[in-house]
Amino acid sequence: MANSKTPLLDELEKGKWPSFVKDLKQAAEKNPMAEDLIGQLELSYKEKIGHWKHGGIVGVKGYGAGVIGRYSDRPDLFPNVQAFHTMRVNHPTGWFYKTDALRKLCDVWDKHGSGLTNMHGATGDVILLGMKTDQLQPCFDDLSEAGFDLGGSGSALRTPSACVGPGRCEWACIDSLDVCYNLTMTYQGQMHRPMFPYKFKIKVSACPNDCVASIARSDFSIIGTWKGSIRIDQKEVTAYAASDLNIQQEVCDLCPTKCMDWDGKVLKINDADCNRCMHCINLMPKALRPGQEQGATILVGGKAPIVKGALLSWVIVPFMKLEPPYTELKDLIERIQDWWDEHGKSRERLGELINRLGMRVFLRAVGLPAVPQMVKAPRTNPYVFFWPEEIQKEVK
Amino acid sequence: MSDDLKTRVAELFKEKSKGDKKMFYIRDVVRWFPGEDRHAVQTAVQSLLDEEVLQYWSSGSSTYVMLAEFFPKE
């Protein structure tokens, strides 16, 4: 270690968690790009400054997205990372791969790039890290041959993503996999040919557990839900009571709306007060199941902080039946995107635009009625949604 | 989208690129043609991109459009 060329990076290997430095060193044994990457990273740690230049090249023939240009500002020291582009590959919906597909993907990447991957990026795509410019098109051609396509980047629709949904989860209220796949195929042009003011993300969760965190990470969140009563199997409730579970303390007392009642024999739920937090269903999956009439809640506006602060999505359609070909859903997406595309400033996300112009302007533009579920902060001012003439009409 | 609009978009790109600024947001381009339908302008830009008169430039998060002749060489 005393003679190590990377004493600062070596420090990152000493913790008890797996280190990306170890992965990089492993890749460097067979790929000079990875070796130079380690060298440049060590230099960055030493000088406390980044040595990447971002931006420029955007893709392959016919595409305006899917590749993020990256160049070293010290090609004199690290010639193998002079160009070190990132390629985003559209992941299979729900991240279900067959092993032969993964092998093909890795073979293509070993042939054309650094061999370094990020499985998966925050948006969901497979991230292939480090490719020279002359390898972009051949790599894309081989990926296409293997059945893969590029994902979104830049001011485009980003690759939609979904939870595993009915593929593995008993709580799925919608077929999140089919919804996501259908939207991905429908909006290929919006993903690959950027025309929007900024990025637009769609994420699909099949139940209110929201395992893809669509509420925090997408402009358009689709979250499976139900209408009516939670299905209760009282026999199974009794079995849980006989086990280690303290139904009163661990279930009823932790219900955020206090809509549950347990008398030691029968569990009752006041479904009108349920806010679908899923806590009781998660704790007693054999006893409780989502209601039978199932669909999705549509929310908009979620984003991480960049231009302005982080936003959580909020409800615009409390319940929508979701069945192929998802015409109602797609009509809504297109109306929203069209309004945002017309009024949004450059680098302004949908949630920021709604905050700037107002919810009632948004609702009128996309043709949605104001409903109580849209109130973001109860007991402030719910009438913010209504136009003065509407209030006058009601008063008369 | 008319050929006339496409020609006007290309010409205005040349005019606007005479200064230091070479890269433009797509919505900047739409604003250059206040009387035109937004979608028609976007289609004209797409067509010019297909013909490689224009080229995308992306930072990774934002996308710009510029005349291909000004695209930075590596």
Side-chain angles (χ1 to χ4, degrees):
Chain A
M1 204 60 94
N3 296 323
S4 171
K5 290 179 187 170
T6 58
L8 296 173
L9 287 182
D10 293 347
E11 290 297 315
L12 298 176
E13 288 186 276
K14 291 179 182 170
K16 59 181 175 178
W17 306 108
S19 168
F20 74 98
V21 175
K22 190 177 264 182
D23 284 347
L24 289 180
K25 286 181 177 175
Q26 204 173 26
E29 286 170 14
K30 56 179 185 176
N31 193 305
M33 292 179 87
E35 195 177 351
D36 274 6
L37 176 67
I38 292 173
Q40 177 163 310
L41 194 58
E42 178 72 17
L43 184 66
S44 286
Y45 274 87
K46 193 176 163 193
E47 297 181 349
K48 296 186 173 66
I49 189 170
H51 284 287
W52 293 117
K53 294 186 290 180
H54 287 270
I57 198 151
V58 291
V60 294
K61 187 84 178 158
Y63 283 63
V67 173
I68 297 132
R70 189 194 309 242
Y71 302 90
S72 169
D73 70 358
R74 293 306 306 268
D76 52 326
L77 296 177
F78 309 107
N80 292 307
V81 293
Q82 181 268 330
F84 197 79
H85 308 310
T86 293
M87 191 173 254
R88 286 189 183 159
V89 180
N90 193 333
H91 59 288
T93 306
W95 299 279
F96 286 106
Y97 295 90
K98 285 184 178 174
T99 49
D100 66 336
L102 274 174
R103 285 200 179 92
K104 276 183 199 167
L105 188 68
C106 292
D107 287 345
V108 170
W109 190 227
D110 276 340
K111 182 178 167 190
H112 295 287
S114 71
L116 296 168
T117 65
N118 173 10
M119 306 283 275
H120 298 83
T123 300
D125 307 273
V126 178
I127 310 289
L128 305 179
L129 290 159
M131 192 183 331
K132 294 183 191 304
T133 307
D134 62 0
Q135 290 299 308
L136 287 171
Q137 189 66 44
C139 182
F140 170 73
D141 293 342
D142 283 352
L143 285 170
S144 299
E145 192 71 26
F148 288 94
D149 198 356
L150 298 187
S153 68
S155 306
L157 174 68
R158 301 302 181 84
T159 316
S161 68
C163 68
V164 294
R168 290 194 66 185
C169 181
E170 66 201 90
W171 295 320
C173 297
I174 53 171
D175 189 342
S176 53
L177 303 171
D178 190 55
V179 173
C180 181
Y181 180 74
N182 194 306
L183 294 179
T184 305
M185 298 309 284
T186 302
Y187 297 122
Q188 286 287 296
Q190 294 186 355
M191 266 171 63
H192 296 141
R193 309 278 285 166
M195 277 291 140
F196 288 150
Y198 200 25
K199 63 181 93 167
F200 191 92
K201 297 186 177 184
I202 299 175
K203 294 192 190 296
V204 193
S205 284
C207 85
N209 276 328
D210 195 13
C211 287
V212 288
S214 65
I215 201 165
R217 307 194 302 146
S218 61
D219 301 272
F220 192 92
S221 320
I222 302 164
I223 300 179
T225 188
W226 66 90
K227 266 184 176 177
S229 308
I230 291 174
R231 285 174 281 175
I232 307 176
D233 183 336
Q234 295 291 355
K235 243 192 218 168
E236 291 292 346
V237 174
T238 309
Y240 274 111
S243 72
D244 287 343
L245 185 71
N246 184 327
I247 293 179
Q248 185 59 49
Q249 283 180 10
E250 295 175 53
V251 182
C252 298
D253 291 352
L254 296 179
C255 171
T257 61
K258 303 284 180 255
C259 71
M260 307 185 79
D261 183 57
W262 168 243
D263 63 4
K265 287 180 184 165
V266 177
L267 181 70
K268 289 179 188 163
I269 301 175
N270 178 9
D271 289 278
D273 282 350
C274 170
N275 69 357
R276 286 140 181 82
C277 78
M278 293 291 287
H279 174 70
C280 59
I281 296 175
N282 291 340
L283 277 193
M284 300 197 291
K286 287 182 182 170
L288 303 175
R289 294 164 67 201
Q292 261 176 326
E293 191 179 356
Q294 300 184 336
T297 297
I298 310 297
L299 308 92
V300 294
K303 62 175 278 290
I306 295 184
V307 179
K308 289 186 180 171
L311 293 172
L312 290 179
S313 287
W314 61 92
V315 174
I316 57 161
V317 179
F319 189 85
M320 182 186 280
K321 271 277 182 203
L322 280 190
E323 281 158 6
Y326 311 111
T327 310
E328 190 185 356
L329 179 72
K330 289 178 191 170
D331 282 350
L332 180 61
I333 290 173
E334 286 159 27
R335 289 202 303 274
I336 290 172
Q337 285 178 339
D338 200 52
W339 178 73
W340 169 61
D341 188 28
E342 184 172 355
H343 299 282
K345 293 178 184 174
S346 297
R347 291 172 62 79
E348 185 174 47
R349 297 283 288 270
L350 175 63
E352 292 162 347
L353 174 63
I354 295 173
N355 277 350
R356 179 165 63 86
L357 295 187
M359 186 71 172
R360 65 181 181 183
V361 175
F362 167 74
L363 292 179
R364 178 172 278 188
V366 300
L368 286 174
V371 292
Q373 290 90 337
M374 292 173 181
V375 177
K376 276 179 78 179
R379 301 179 192 278
T380 54
N381 183 4
Y383 301 104
V384 72
F385 296 148
F386 299 100
W387 293 86
E389 63 268 24
E390 286 172 347
I391 295 170
Q392 283 306 315
K393 214 178 347 176
E394 289 297 316
V395 169
K396 278 175 192 170
Chain B
M1 187 261 310
S2 65
D3 281 349
D4 169 58
L5 178 58
K6 202 164 84 178
T7 308
R8 283 190 288 138
V9 171
E11 281 172 0
L12 208 47
F13 253 100
K14 285 177 189 158
E15 185 65 32
K16 298 273 185 186
S17 302
K18 280 181 180 166
D20 290 341
K21 190 176 177 183
K22 308 291 183 198
M23 300 188 298
F24 303 93
Y25 286 118
I26 287 150
R27 63 172 301 104
D28 291 341
V29 180
V30 171
R31 285 207 181 116
W32 296 345
F33 301 93
E36 293 289 347
D37 175 63
R38 172 167 50 92
H39 299 104
V41 177
Q42 289 177 346
T43 309
V45 170
Q46 292 281 9
S47 182
L48 289 163
L49 284 161
D50 290 339
E51 292 168 16
E52 297 180 3
V53 174
L54 300 178
Q55 204 163 334
Y56 284 116
W57 189 100
S58 174
S59 64
S61 63
S62 303
T63 306
Y64 302 79
V65 183
M66 65 193 307
L67 283 169
E69 62 200 81
F70 293 124
F71 192 82
K73 305 275 183 291
E74 276 187 20

